[in-house]
Amino acid sequence: MISITVTALVFGVIFLAELPDKTALAGLVLGARYRASYVFVGVAAAFLVHVVLAVAAGSVLTLLPQQIVHAITGVLFLGGAAVLLLKKDEGEEEIKKPANQSFWRVAGTGFMLILVAEFGDLTQIMTANLAARYDDPISVGLGAVLGLWAVAGLGIVGGKALMKRVPLRLITQIAALLMIGLGVWSLYEAIAG
């Protein structure tokens, strides 16, 4: 059964953490150069692969005693918040245009770019943490995939307009604040439990 609460929480955390990421900018660049629907299919498939791997890793953590899991996830959430707050803005990466604009070529370019760029990324680690924290792989996976797809869609279709209205630093700070809250709560549960 899917928990709407867990799905919504995961969606919000992953969405905010991914929004200022370099892959959102890469989606923006790809979407500006190629057919948006082709780019989205490739990017969405790559994010799905990453979420499945992250949820599987998080599910393995649930085999540990709950206090240890809460302590590990708490520390990792706080570390993720620190990474968000301390990272420098990264400029647009230059992405070479494929020779042809066929569906498979464009979708494949989007897939490979995101697959490589996102491996071991903060949102993948956060997804594993959330899977361990909530022991609800389907709800966590659904929330993470939808959050990543939403950012990809925004980046591909309307990233420039959003960035003009909402400062990137504010989005990063909100994501970091959510992660600090989750980290403190997890550490509290580890100590109190």
Side-chain angles (χ1 to χ4, degrees), residues 158-168:
K160 285 182 184 174
L162 177 68
M163 293 306 171
K164 286 180 185 175
R165 296 181 184 178
V166 181
L168 186 60

Side-chain angles (χ1 to χ4, degrees), residues 102-114:
S102 72
F103 169 80
W104 292 110
R105 181 75 63 161
V106 173
T109 299
F111 178 83
M112 290 307 297
L113 176 72
I114 298 303

Side-chain angles (χ1 to χ4, degrees), residues 46-71:
F47 277 135
L48 181 63
V49 169
H50 278 287
V51 168
V52 167
L53 292 173
V55 168
S59 295
V60 168
L61 286 177
T62 63
L63 301 175
L64 297 173
Q66 280 298 312
Q67 283 184 301
I68 293 173
V69 171
H70 289 311

Side-chain angles (χ1 to χ4, degrees), residues 61 71-81 122 125-126 129 179 183:
L61 286 177
I72 290 170
T73 59
V75 168
L76 290 173
F77 275 129
L78 293 175
L122 178 63
I125 293 166
M126 287 172 50
N129 286 344
M179 291 177 67

